[in-house]
Amino acid sequence: MIYPSIDRLLNIVSSKYELVHIISQRSKQMHTYKNYQIREKDYKSSKNIGRAMEELEKGLIKVTNNNN
């Protein structure tokens, strides 16, 4: 089962497409720079995709609306 729930994350982000975009970007940053916002042992997930989802749920990734 996925943690955190996608339904919870969709309360933060407006669409599934935006969610995928945000999580994939953050996951790539984690892979490239080995930069984590939480101590590695405190993540529930061992993979960067899950870790990015955890960061989004905890409010560590700020989502802004840039529609003009």
Side-chain angles (χ1 to χ4, degrees):
M1 189 155 174
I2 298 173
Y3 176 84
S5 164
I6 291 181
D7 294 329
R8 267 198 229 161
L9 297 176
L10 287 175
N11 291 329
I12 300 168
V13 179
S14 60
S15 73
K16 291 178 185 178
Y17 303 105
E18 186 178 14
L19 176 63
V20 169
H21 180 72
I22 291 168
I23 296 302
S24 66
Q25 277 189 328
R26 179 63 185 133
S27 176
K28 288 176 187 176
Q29 288 174 351
M30 290 175 164
H31 177 75
T32 302
Y33 301 111
K34 306 292 185 229
N35 180 11
Y36 302 101
Q37 296 189 52
I38 304 172
R39 291 185 303 181
E40 284 192 65
K41 68 178 185 173
D42 292 337
Y43 285 105
K44 292 185 179 182
S45 179
S46 62
K47 298 187 179 194
N48 288 337
I49 293 282
R51 290 176 177 183
M53 292 171 67
E54 289 179 45
E55 288 181 1
L56 180 63
E57 182 195 34
K58 291 182 181 187
L60 299 173
I61 299 174
K62 302 298 178 201
V63 179
T64 58
N65 188 354
N66 289 334
N67 291 340
N68 292 333

